[in-house]
Amino acid sequence: MSGIYIHIPFCKQACHYCDFHFSTSMKKKDEMVLALAKEIQMRKSEFENDPEFSGVETIYFGGGTPSRLQIADLRLQMDSIYKNYKVAENPEITLEANPDDLSEEYLIALSEIGINRLSIGIQSFFEDDLQMMNRAHNSAEAKKCLELATQYFDNISLDLIYGIPAMSNEKWKQNIETALSFGIPHISSYALTVEPKTALNKLIQTGKIVKPKDEVAQEHFEILVEILEANEFIHYELSNFGESTYFSKNNSAYWLGKKYIGIGPSAHSYNGSSRSWNVSNNSVYLKSIHENKLPSEVEILSKTDRYNEYIMTGLRTMWGISLYKIELEFGKEYLNYLEQHLQKFIDNGLVSIENHILKTTKKGKFLTDGIASDLFYLNI
Protein backbone atom coordinates (compact mmCIF):
# COMPACT_ATOMS: atom_id res chain seq x y z
CA MET A 1 0.00 0.00 0.00
CA SER A 2 1.22 3.50 -0.84
CA GLY A 3 -0.25 6.79 0.29
CA ILE A 4 -0.02 10.53 -0.19
CA TYR A 5 -0.34 12.91 2.73
CA ILE A 6 -0.96 16.63 2.04
CA HIS A 7 -0.29 19.09 4.85
CA ILE A 8 -2.53 22.17 4.73
CA PRO A 9 -0.71 24.73 6.94
CA PHE A 10 -3.60 27.05 7.80
CA CYS A 11 -5.90 27.38 10.82
CA LYS A 12 -8.55 29.89 11.84
CA GLN A 13 -6.93 30.25 15.26
CA ALA A 14 -4.30 28.53 17.39
CA CYS A 15 -5.53 25.82 19.76
CA HIS A 16 -3.71 26.14 23.09
CA TYR A 17 -2.36 22.57 23.03
CA CYS A 18 -1.24 22.38 19.39
CA ASP A 19 2.42 22.27 18.29
CA PHE A 20 1.81 21.33 14.64
CA HIS A 21 2.99 23.63 11.86
CA PHE A 22 0.35 26.14 10.71
CA SER A 23 -0.35 29.81 10.10
CA THR A 24 -3.47 31.76 11.06
CA SER A 25 -2.88 34.11 8.11
CA MET A 26 -4.47 33.10 4.81
CA LYS A 27 -2.55 35.72 2.79
CA LYS A 28 -0.40 33.12 1.05
CA LYS A 29 -3.19 30.59 0.62
CA ASP A 30 -3.49 30.82 -3.16
CA GLU A 31 0.26 30.62 -3.61
CA MET A 32 0.43 27.64 -1.25
CA VAL A 33 -2.35 25.78 -3.07
CA LEU A 34 -0.43 26.07 -6.35
CA ALA A 35 2.83 25.04 -4.67
CA LEU A 36 1.25 21.92 -3.15
CA ALA A 37 -0.05 20.83 -6.54
CA LYS A 38 3.38 21.46 -8.03
CA GLU A 39 5.17 19.42 -5.36
CA ILE A 40 2.77 16.56 -6.05
CA GLN A 41 3.89 16.67 -9.69
CA MET A 42 7.59 17.07 -8.80
CA ARG A 43 7.61 13.91 -6.70
CA LYS A 44 5.84 11.48 -9.00
CA SER A 45 9.09 9.65 -9.85
CA GLU A 46 9.40 8.48 -6.23
CA PHE A 47 6.55 6.05 -6.79
CA GLU A 48 7.19 5.50 -10.52
CA ASN A 49 10.68 4.16 -9.74
CA ASP A 50 9.43 1.86 -6.98
CA PRO A 51 8.99 -1.71 -8.30
CA GLU A 52 6.55 -2.46 -5.46
CA PHE A 53 4.25 0.46 -6.31
CA SER A 54 0.84 -0.67 -7.56
CA GLY A 55 -1.13 2.53 -7.07
CA VAL A 56 -1.97 5.21 -4.54
CA GLU A 57 -4.44 3.64 -2.12
CA THR A 58 -4.85 6.47 0.39
CA ILE A 59 -4.93 10.25 0.07
CA TYR A 60 -5.01 12.21 3.31
CA PHE A 61 -5.51 15.96 3.74
CA GLY A 62 -4.12 16.85 7.18
CA GLY A 63 -2.91 19.97 8.90
CA GLY A 64 -3.44 22.54 10.10
CA THR A 65 -7.07 22.64 9.07
CA PRO A 66 -7.71 21.37 5.51
CA SER A 67 -11.34 22.47 5.69
CA ARG A 68 -10.07 26.06 5.59
CA LEU A 69 -9.52 25.51 1.87
CA GLN A 70 -12.17 26.11 -0.76
CA ILE A 71 -13.47 23.23 -2.83
CA ALA A 72 -11.56 24.44 -5.90
CA ASP A 73 -8.32 24.35 -3.86
CA LEU A 74 -8.90 20.74 -2.84
CA ARG A 75 -9.97 19.75 -6.35
CA LEU A 76 -6.68 21.10 -7.71
CA GLN A 77 -4.72 18.76 -5.41
CA MET A 78 -6.89 15.80 -6.38
CA ASP A 79 -6.47 16.59 -10.08
CA SER A 80 -2.69 16.80 -9.67
CA ILE A 81 -2.59 13.39 -7.99
CA TYR A 82 -4.76 11.69 -10.60
CA LYS A 83 -2.79 13.32 -13.42
CA ASN A 84 0.64 12.31 -12.11
CA TYR A 85 0.10 9.00 -10.28
CA LYS A 86 -1.59 5.70 -10.81
CA VAL A 87 -4.42 5.68 -8.28
CA ALA A 88 -5.96 2.44 -7.05
CA GLU A 89 -9.63 1.74 -7.53
CA ASN A 90 -11.73 3.07 -4.64
CA PRO A 91 -8.93 4.80 -2.69
CA GLU A 92 -9.57 6.06 0.83
CA ILE A 93 -9.56 9.88 0.60
CA THR A 94 -9.70 11.59 3.98
CA LEU A 95 -10.15 15.25 4.87
CA GLU A 96 -9.50 16.57 8.38
CA ALA A 97 -12.11 19.20 9.22
CA ASN A 98 -13.27 21.47 12.00
CA PRO A 99 -16.99 21.60 12.84
CA ASP A 100 -17.35 25.32 12.12
CA ASP A 101 -16.28 24.78 8.50
CA LEU A 102 -18.75 22.00 7.68
CA SER A 103 -21.78 23.66 6.21
CA GLU A 104 -24.23 21.50 4.28
CA GLU A 105 -23.10 23.09 1.01
CA TYR A 106 -19.45 22.36 1.78
CA LEU A 107 -20.18 18.74 2.76
CA ILE A 108 -22.07 18.08 -0.46
CA ALA A 109 -19.25 19.59 -2.51
CA LEU A 110 -16.63 17.49 -0.67
CA SER A 111 -18.50 14.31 -1.53
CA GLU A 112 -18.78 15.40 -5.16
CA ILE A 113 -14.99 15.87 -5.62
CA GLY A 114 -14.20 12.41 -4.25
CA ILE A 115 -13.58 12.91 -0.52
CA ASN A 116 -15.02 9.75 1.02
CA ARG A 117 -13.86 9.95 4.64
CA LEU A 118 -14.04 12.78 7.17
CA SER A 119 -11.93 13.17 10.31
CA ILE A 120 -13.67 15.81 12.42
CA GLY A 121 -11.91 17.61 15.27
CA ILE A 122 -14.67 17.68 17.87
CA GLN A 123 -12.37 17.30 20.95
CA SER A 124 -15.25 17.87 23.40
CA PHE A 125 -18.98 18.55 23.35
CA PHE A 126 -18.72 20.86 26.37
CA GLU A 127 -18.40 24.63 26.02
CA ASP A 128 -15.96 25.14 28.89
CA ASP A 129 -13.55 22.53 27.50
CA LEU A 130 -13.62 24.07 24.03
CA GLN A 131 -12.97 27.55 25.44
CA MET A 132 -10.09 26.29 27.61
CA MET A 133 -8.48 24.69 24.52
CA ASN A 134 -9.21 27.79 22.40
CA ARG A 135 -11.09 25.79 19.80
CA ALA A 136 -12.71 27.77 16.96
CA HIS A 137 -16.07 26.01 17.23
CA ASN A 138 -18.67 25.75 19.98
CA SER A 139 -20.70 22.85 21.34
CA ALA A 140 -23.75 23.57 19.18
CA GLU A 141 -21.58 23.60 16.03
CA ALA A 142 -20.02 20.28 17.05
CA LYS A 143 -23.41 18.59 17.21
CA LYS A 144 -24.85 20.34 14.16
CA CYS A 145 -21.95 19.36 11.92
CA LEU A 146 -22.33 15.69 12.88
CA GLU A 147 -26.06 15.81 12.12
CA LEU A 148 -25.20 17.14 8.66
CA ALA A 149 -22.08 15.06 7.99
CA THR A 150 -23.83 11.76 8.68
CA GLN A 151 -26.36 12.59 5.96
CA TYR A 152 -23.67 12.74 3.28
CA PHE A 153 -20.83 10.57 4.58
CA ASP A 154 -20.78 7.03 5.91
CA ASN A 155 -17.08 6.87 6.80
CA ILE A 156 -16.58 9.43 9.58
CA SER A 157 -14.06 9.62 12.40
CA LEU A 158 -14.11 12.15 15.20
CA ASP A 159 -11.43 13.22 17.65
CA LEU A 160 -11.96 13.46 21.40
CA ILE A 161 -9.46 14.65 24.02
CA TYR A 162 -9.38 13.20 27.53
CA GLY A 163 -7.45 14.07 30.66
CA ILE A 164 -8.64 17.69 30.48
CA PRO A 165 -8.24 19.48 33.85
CA ALA A 166 -11.49 19.51 35.84
CA MET A 167 -13.11 16.94 33.54
CA SER A 168 -14.93 14.44 35.75
CA ASN A 169 -15.38 10.80 34.82
CA GLU A 170 -19.10 11.44 34.35
CA LYS A 171 -18.44 14.32 31.99
CA TRP A 172 -16.00 12.21 29.99
CA LYS A 173 -18.58 9.42 29.72
CA GLN A 174 -21.10 11.95 28.39
CA ASN A 175 -18.62 13.01 25.70
CA ILE A 176 -18.23 9.40 24.54
CA GLU A 177 -21.96 8.67 24.67
CA THR A 178 -22.74 11.84 22.70
CA ALA A 179 -20.28 10.78 20.00
CA LEU A 180 -21.87 7.33 19.83
CA SER A 181 -25.36 8.80 19.59
CA PHE A 182 -24.56 10.06 16.07
CA GLY A 183 -23.69 6.56 14.83
CA ILE A 184 -20.06 7.49 14.15
CA PRO A 185 -18.08 4.32 13.18
CA HIS A 186 -14.59 5.51 14.19
CA ILE A 187 -13.21 7.48 17.14
CA SER A 188 -9.66 8.73 17.67
CA SER A 189 -8.95 9.82 21.23
CA TYR A 190 -5.85 11.35 22.76
CA ALA A 191 -4.75 12.47 26.21
CA LEU A 192 -4.28 16.22 26.56
CA THR A 193 -0.51 16.61 26.25
CA VAL A 194 1.48 19.65 27.29
CA GLU A 195 4.03 20.43 24.58
CA PRO A 196 6.90 22.84 25.42
CA LYS A 197 6.24 25.73 23.03
CA THR A 198 2.46 25.90 23.29
CA ALA A 199 0.09 28.39 24.88
CA LEU A 200 -1.13 25.60 27.14
CA ASN A 201 2.32 25.18 28.63
CA LYS A 202 2.55 28.91 29.34
CA LEU A 203 -0.93 28.97 30.89
CA ILE A 204 0.06 26.12 33.21
CA GLN A 205 3.34 27.80 34.16
CA THR A 206 1.50 31.01 35.06
CA GLY A 207 -1.08 29.11 37.10
CA LYS A 208 -4.05 29.97 34.90
CA ILE A 209 -4.72 26.32 34.03
CA VAL A 210 -4.07 23.28 36.22
CA LYS A 211 -1.57 20.79 34.83
CA PRO A 212 -3.26 17.60 33.51
CA LYS A 213 -2.76 14.60 35.79
CA ASP A 214 -1.54 11.25 34.44
CA GLU A 215 -3.77 9.28 36.80
CA VAL A 216 -6.86 11.14 35.54
CA ALA A 217 -5.86 10.51 31.92
CA GLN A 218 -5.36 6.80 32.65
CA GLU A 219 -8.79 6.57 34.29
CA HIS A 220 -10.40 8.32 31.31
CA PHE A 221 -8.55 5.99 28.93
CA GLU A 222 -9.88 2.91 30.75
CA ILE A 223 -13.42 4.32 30.64
CA LEU A 224 -13.03 4.98 26.92
CA VAL A 225 -11.87 1.42 26.20
CA GLU A 226 -14.66 -0.11 28.28
CA ILE A 227 -17.47 1.90 26.68
CA LEU A 228 -16.28 1.59 23.08
CA GLU A 229 -15.57 -2.13 23.31
CA ALA A 230 -19.04 -2.62 24.82
CA ASN A 231 -20.35 -0.88 21.68
CA GLU A 232 -18.42 -3.32 19.44
CA PHE A 233 -15.63 -0.93 18.51
CA ILE A 234 -12.28 -2.63 17.97
CA HIS A 235 -9.32 -1.07 19.76
CA TYR A 236 -6.95 -1.56 16.83
CA GLU A 237 -4.37 1.09 17.76
CA LEU A 238 -3.58 2.78 21.06
CA SER A 239 -5.56 5.94 20.23
CA ASN A 240 -7.93 4.54 17.59
CA PHE A 241 -11.18 2.62 17.77
CA GLY A 242 -13.32 1.54 14.85
CA GLU A 243 -16.12 -0.72 13.83
CA SER A 244 -14.67 -3.71 11.98
CA THR A 245 -14.84 -2.26 8.45
CA TYR A 246 -13.94 1.32 9.37
CA PHE A 247 -10.29 1.20 10.37
CA SER A 248 -8.29 4.10 8.92
CA LYS A 249 -6.40 2.65 5.95
CA ASN A 250 -4.08 5.66 5.90
CA ASN A 251 -3.10 5.42 9.55
CA SER A 252 -2.93 1.62 9.52
CA ALA A 253 -0.45 1.80 6.64
CA TYR A 254 1.72 4.14 8.71
CA TRP A 255 1.69 1.84 11.75
CA LEU A 256 2.47 -1.17 9.56
CA GLY A 257 5.49 0.52 7.97
CA LYS A 258 4.08 1.14 4.49
CA LYS A 259 5.51 3.79 2.13
CA TYR A 260 4.05 7.26 1.77
CA ILE A 261 4.87 10.69 0.34
CA GLY A 262 4.27 13.81 2.45
CA ILE A 263 3.41 17.00 0.53
CA GLY A 264 3.58 20.52 1.98
CA PRO A 265 5.55 22.37 4.67
CA SER A 266 6.56 20.14 7.62
CA ALA A 267 5.21 16.98 5.92
CA HIS A 268 7.16 13.74 6.40
CA SER A 269 7.75 10.93 3.88
CA TYR A 270 8.92 7.33 4.25
CA ASN A 271 10.16 4.89 1.59
CA GLY A 272 11.17 1.89 3.68
CA SER A 273 14.83 2.79 4.05
CA SER A 274 14.84 6.56 4.61
CA ARG A 275 12.69 9.29 6.06
CA SER A 276 12.48 12.85 4.78
CA TRP A 277 10.72 15.96 5.95
CA ASN A 278 9.91 19.31 4.40
CA VAL A 279 10.90 22.60 5.99
CA SER A 280 8.44 23.91 8.59
CA ASN A 281 8.30 27.42 7.17
CA ASN A 282 5.69 28.54 4.66
CA SER A 283 7.78 31.27 3.02
CA VAL A 284 10.87 29.08 2.66
CA TYR A 285 8.74 26.23 1.34
CA LEU A 286 7.07 28.46 -1.27
CA LYS A 287 10.38 29.95 -2.43
CA SER A 288 11.93 26.50 -2.80
CA ILE A 289 9.03 25.04 -4.80
CA HIS A 290 9.00 28.14 -7.01
CA GLU A 291 12.67 27.44 -7.77
CA ASN A 292 11.87 23.78 -8.56
CA LYS A 293 13.71 22.53 -5.49
CA LEU A 294 12.33 20.13 -2.90
CA PRO A 295 12.68 21.84 0.51
CA SER A 296 13.44 18.64 2.39
CA GLU A 297 16.02 16.90 4.52
CA VAL A 298 16.67 13.17 4.26
CA GLU A 299 17.71 10.72 6.94
CA ILE A 300 18.89 7.23 5.95
CA LEU A 301 17.54 4.90 8.60
CA SER A 302 19.99 2.51 10.22
CA LYS A 303 18.99 -1.01 11.20
CA THR A 304 18.61 0.21 14.78
CA ASP A 305 16.38 3.11 13.65
CA ARG A 306 14.12 0.72 11.76
CA TYR A 307 14.03 -1.72 14.68
CA ASN A 308 13.07 1.02 17.14
CA GLU A 309 10.36 2.33 14.82
CA TYR A 310 8.92 -1.16 14.48
CA ILE A 311 8.87 -1.53 18.26
CA MET A 312 7.12 1.83 18.72
CA THR A 313 4.50 1.43 15.99
CA GLY A 314 3.96 -2.32 16.33
CA LEU A 315 3.37 -2.28 20.07
CA ARG A 316 0.66 0.38 19.66
CA THR A 317 -1.44 -1.86 17.40
CA MET A 318 -3.61 -4.92 17.85
CA TRP A 319 -1.30 -6.72 15.42
CA GLY A 320 1.61 -6.45 17.81
CA ILE A 321 5.27 -7.24 17.17
CA SER A 322 6.32 -10.42 15.38
CA LEU A 323 9.34 -12.01 17.04
CA TYR A 324 9.89 -13.92 13.78
CA LYS A 325 10.12 -10.59 11.93
CA ILE A 326 12.57 -9.23 14.50
CA GLU A 327 14.92 -12.15 13.94
CA LEU A 328 14.46 -12.26 10.15
CA GLU A 329 14.87 -8.53 9.45
CA PHE A 330 17.17 -7.44 12.26
CA GLY A 331 18.97 -10.56 13.43
CA LYS A 332 19.44 -12.70 16.52
CA GLU A 333 21.25 -9.93 18.40
CA TYR A 334 18.15 -7.71 18.32
CA LEU A 335 15.83 -10.56 19.26
CA ASN A 336 18.00 -11.49 22.24
CA TYR A 337 18.12 -7.85 23.32
CA LEU A 338 14.33 -7.59 23.12
CA GLU A 339 13.74 -10.80 25.07
CA GLN A 340 16.16 -9.75 27.81
CA HIS A 341 14.43 -6.38 28.29
CA LEU A 342 10.92 -7.83 28.06
CA GLN A 343 11.02 -10.02 31.12
CA LYS A 344 10.16 -7.35 33.71
CA PHE A 345 7.10 -6.31 31.69
CA ILE A 346 5.99 -9.94 31.36
CA ASP A 347 6.46 -10.47 35.11
CA ASN A 348 4.35 -7.37 35.83
CA GLY A 349 1.59 -8.49 33.47
CA LEU A 350 2.04 -5.53 31.13
CA VAL A 351 2.89 -7.50 27.97
CA SER A 352 2.32 -11.04 26.73
CA ILE A 353 3.66 -13.28 23.98
CA GLU A 354 1.37 -15.66 22.12
CA ASN A 355 2.27 -17.48 18.90
CA HIS A 356 5.49 -15.44 18.76
CA ILE A 357 3.53 -12.16 18.73
CA LEU A 358 4.29 -9.58 21.41
CA LYS A 359 1.42 -7.37 22.57
CA THR A 360 0.57 -5.18 25.52
CA THR A 361 -2.04 -6.56 27.89
CA LYS A 362 -5.13 -4.65 28.96
CA LYS A 363 -3.20 -3.63 32.07
CA GLY A 364 -0.25 -2.38 30.04
CA LYS A 365 -2.13 -0.68 27.19
CA PHE A 366 -2.10 2.86 28.61
CA LEU A 367 1.65 2.52 29.27
CA THR A 368 2.45 1.40 25.71
CA ASP A 369 4.70 4.29 24.68
CA GLY A 370 6.75 4.08 27.86
CA ILE A 371 7.17 0.31 27.49
CA ALA A 372 8.22 0.73 23.85
CA SER A 373 10.88 3.31 24.73
CA ASP A 374 12.31 0.90 27.31
CA LEU A 375 12.58 -1.75 24.59
CA PHE A 376 14.46 0.46 22.13
CA TYR A 377 17.87 -0.85 21.10
CA LEU A 378 20.50 1.50 22.46
CA ASN A 379 23.94 1.58 20.89
CA ILE A 380 25.89 1.70 24.13
Side-chain angles (χ1 to χ4, degrees):
M1 176 183 285
S2 299
I4 295 178
Y5 169 85
I6 305 170
H7 187 84
I8 308 301
F10 300 111
C11 287
K12 183 180 293 185
Q13 63 192 49
C15 299
H16 285 161
Y17 55 84
C18 182
D19 69 342
F20 292 162
H21 172 68
F22 67 91
S23 171
T24 55
S25 170
M26 298 290 283
K27 288 181 180 178
K28 296 183 179 179
K29 190 268 291 184
D30 291 343
E31 189 180 354
M32 181 63 69
V33 166
L34 293 173
L36 294 172
K38 184 175 179 180
E39 188 190 355
I40 290 170
Q41 183 273 325
M42 289 170 67
R43 306 211 24 209
K44 64 180 181 178
S45 63
E46 294 179 33
F47 278 160
E48 285 179 345
N49 297 333
D50 182 356
E52 298 178 359
F53 177 67
S54 59
V56 174
E57 296 183 64
T58 64
I59 300 168
Y60 193 100
F61 291 93
T65 310
S67 56
R68 294 290 288 150
L69 294 190
Q70 296 173 323
I71 294 299
D73 302 328
L74 295 168
R75 185 187 292 115
L76 181 65
Q77 312 311 315
M78 298 274 283
D79 289 346
S80 186
I81 291 172
Y82 275 87
K83 180 180 177 181
N84 291 289
Y85 298 79
K86 177 184 177 183
V87 179
E89 193 173 347
N90 300 318
E92 177 189 86
I93 306 177
T94 302
L95 180 97
E96 290 183 354
N98 277 352
D100 46 306
D101 294 325
L102 294 180
S103 67
E104 185 167 16
E105 180 183 17
Y106 193 74
L107 286 162
I108 292 171
L110 288 175
S111 66
E112 289 175 346
I113 65 168
I115 304 294
N116 54 31
R117 183 175 184 270
L118 295 178
S119 177
I120 305 176
I122 299 292
Q123 315 310 356
S124 176
F125 290 98
F126 290 94
E127 209 66 58
D128 56 337
D129 295 338
L130 296 172
Q131 291 174 1
M132 185 277 290
M133 293 185 281
N134 200 40
R135 295 290 293 166
H137 69 278
N138 59 41
S139 178
E141 287 172 326
K143 295 172 183 176
K144 181 63 176 178
C145 87
L146 292 177
E147 291 175 4
L148 289 172
T150 50
Q151 294 178 35
Y152 300 101
F153 287 84
D154 171 58
N155 197 350
I156 299 174
S157 176
L158 60 79
D159 289 353
L160 292 176
I161 290 180
Y162 58 87
I164 296 172
M167 178 183 279
S168 66
N169 288 350
E170 186 55 42
K171 190 176 177 184
W172 175 232
K173 289 177 184 177
Q174 288 181 45
N175 259 335
I176 303 167
E177 296 292 353
T178 301
L180 292 172
S181 71
F182 289 96
I184 302 299
H186 188 282
I187 292 176
S188 297
S189 192
Y190 308 90
L192 182 65
T193 304
V194 184
E195 301 294 347
K197 296 180 180 180
T198 59
L200 178 61
N201 185 52
K202 188 172 183 179
L203 289 166
I204 289 171
Q205 289 179 339
T206 56
K208 295 179 180 177
I209 292 179
V210 178
K211 184 178 180 180
K213 296 180 179 179
D214 289 344
E215 56 268 31
V216 172
Q218 181 165 359
E219 201 166 347
H220 287 179
F221 176 79
E222 290 168 356
I223 290 169
L224 175 72
V225 173
E226 181 181 356
I227 293 176
L228 292 186
E229 289 186 345
N231 281 272
E232 299 185 354
F233 278 64
I234 298 170
H235 191 189
Y236 70 102
E237 193 272 342
L238 182 61
S239 302
N240 287 270
F241 305 76
E243 295 179 5
S244 58
T245 56
Y246 289 92
F247 295 179
S248 167
K249 294 179 182 178
N250 174 83
N251 294 351
S252 296
Y254 165 71
W255 299 314
L256 295 172
K258 306 300 183 182
K259 301 174 183 178
Y260 60 92
I261 290 175
I263 303 294
S266 82
H268 284 232
S269 304
Y270 175 71
N271 67 6
S273 61
S274 68
R275 189 173 301 285
S276 64
W277 55 94
N278 286 346
V279 63
S280 297
N281 181 296
N282 287 1
S283 296
V284 175
Y285 171 83
L286 291 170
K287 183 175 184 293
S288 183
I289 295 297
H290 180 71
E291 295 172 351
N292 297 310
K293 300 174 184 175
L294 291 176
S296 61
E297 294 182 50
V298 179
E299 175 189 14
I300 304 300
L301 300 175
S302 67
K303 182 189 290 188
T304 297
D305 292 332
R306 290 186 289 108
Y307 165 86
N308 289 343
E309 288 201 4
Y310 179 51
I311 293 295
M312 174 57 79
T313 55
L315 204 60
R316 289 179 63 99
T317 72
M318 70 177 192
W319 302 288
I321 294 167
S322 167
L323 300 187
Y324 285 137
K325 179 175 179 176
I326 295 288
E327 184 171 12
L328 181 66
E329 292 195 12
F330 305 106
K332 195 72 175 177
E333 176 187 355
Y334 285 82
L335 179 60
N336 290 341
Y337 181 92
L338 176 61
E339 291 176 336
Q340 289 168 11
H341 287 76
L342 269 180
Q343 197 56 52
K344 64 179 179 181
F345 298 115
I346 294 174
D347 293 342
N348 290 327
L350 300 176
V351 302
S352 64
I353 299 174
E354 187 174 345
N355 297 323
H356 299 278
I357 300 294
L358 168 67
K359 298 181 182 180
T360 53
T361 62
K362 187 173 183 179
K363 179 182 176 183
K365 187 69 71 176
F366 182 75
L367 305 172
T368 295
D369 288 345
I371 295 170
S373 65
D374 279 355
L375 299 177
F376 287 169
Y377 191 93
L378 303 176
N379 294 313
I380 54 176

